[in-house]
Amino acid sequence: EAQVTQNPRYLITVTGKKLTVTCSQNMNHEYMSWYRQDPGLGLRQIYYSMNVEVTDKGDVPEGYKVSRKEKRNFPLILESPSPNQTSLYFCASTFLASNEQFFGPGTRLTVL
Amino acid sequence: QQQVKQSPQSLIVQKGGISIINCAYENTAFDYFPWYQQFPGKGPALLIAIRPDVSEKKEGRFTISFNKSAKQFSLHIMDSQPGDSATYFCAASIEGYGNKLVFGAGTILRVKS
């Protein structure tokens, strides 16, 4: 089944404790992206990658890191999480020649 | 500053009625306008999309109306059903600009049976 998977789905952590949210897609998509969803703000792009070893900042990159060592994986790293990073996070992927983005099921993160 | 403004924030419609969600954009370079549908606990999924060379696109009960001069577009859901209850996001992008989507704030639709 073609899909984007994220792990974990739910995470509660404390301020300053490094964490990684994994994202993997099995559709051979070149483009991958991370969004955060907050009430009243919609989805805002954090980082994106147009191919292996090519990443760039989105609209709200502060406090986040990403890497793209393999085409299928695009982990989101929070080196020192803070309460304002409490949010619902989505990973998405697509072909560069396509406009339709496929989203993962989301990761709900709470930072205490 | 939101480049795509969406209204209303929430909407309650009776079963069989018409649901209308509106979006306005600022950047005239946008040339692709999708709507995404999100059910609770799920990621958004593409519902329907339009390019500015047409004023309307219909897929089943879902229609996008597009007004290029006003920089507005809207989603109409005809004969709304309880199964349509979801959050709807409009978005905009520039083709060839790295697939970057700019999303509206979202509309929570509830269809009452």
Side-chain angles (χ1 to χ4, degrees):
Chain A
E1 179 189 356
Q3 59 183 348
V4 179
T5 57
Q6 295 179 226
N7 282 292
R9 295 289 314 277
Y10 303 90
L11 180 59
I12 300 174
T13 189
V14 295
T15 300
K17 186 176 181 181
K18 181 179 179 179
L19 67 92
T20 299
V21 184
T22 65
C23 172
S24 183
Q25 50 91 7
N26 62 1
M27 295 170 278
N28 203 34
H29 288 159
E30 301 97 351
Y31 183 93
M32 298 186 74
S33 181
W34 276 103
Y35 296 88
R36 60 179 288 173
Q37 181 179 347
D38 301 289
L41 296 176
L43 293 106
R44 294 178 293 167
Q45 189 180 56
I46 302 170
Y47 268 94
Y48 66 96
S49 170
M50 296 179 73
N51 218 322
V52 176
E53 302 291 1
V54 180
T55 63
D56 208 347
K57 296 177 180 179
D59 297 316
V60 287
E62 294 77 21
Y64 305 94
K65 286 175 58 177
V66 293
S67 69
R68 187 91 181 273
K69 293 182 170 62
E70 304 167 283
K71 196 172 187 178
R72 64 183 294 130
N73 296 323
F74 190 45
L76 179 69
I77 303 155
L78 285 73
E79 295 268 2
S80 182
S82 61
N84 65 12
Q85 293 178 298
T86 292
S87 187
L88 180 58
Y89 291 86
F90 288 100
C91 180
S93 71
T94 186
F95 291 114
L96 283 178
S98 170
N99 288 300
E100 179 178 3
Q101 294 199 18
F102 294 85
F103 284 80
T107 295
R108 185 165 291 282
L109 172 66
T110 302
V111 183
L112 302 174
Chain B
Q1 182 183 3
Q2 222 160 13
Q3 295 188 55
V4 179
K5 295 185 178 179
Q6 183 172 346
S7 62
Q9 285 187 327
S10 63
L11 182 61
I12 300 175
V13 174
Q14 288 292 132
K15 179 181 176 182
I18 302 173
S19 304
I20 302 174
I21 305 171
N22 300 299
C23 284
Y25 63 96
E26 299 168 3
N27 188 345
T28 55
F30 288 143
D31 56 7
Y32 176 72
F33 302 90
W35 286 88
Y36 280 76
Q37 179 187 54
Q38 182 185 31
F39 292 107
K42 305 289 186 183
L46 179 65
L47 179 65
I48 186 173
I50 196 168
R51 289 183 170 81
D53 52 341
V54 296
S55 60
E56 185 175 283
K57 183 174 182 180
K58 184 176 181 179
E59 290 184 2
R61 296 184 294 107
F62 300 90
T63 300
I64 300 179
S65 297
F66 185 81
N67 185 330
K68 189 173 182 178
S69 61
K71 294 188 287 185
Q72 296 175 346
F73 58 109
S74 60
L75 176 69
H76 296 236
I77 306 175
M78 312 300 287
D79 187 26
S80 298
Q81 299 296 312
D84 296 330
S85 297
T87 300
Y88 292 82
F89 293 97
C90 62
S93 70
I94 304 169
E95 287 207 84
Y97 192 65
N99 304 83
K100 179 179 172 63
L101 282 171
V102 179
F103 284 90
T107 296
I108 301 172
L109 171 65
R110 180 182 162 208
V111 181
K112 295 174 66 175
S113 55

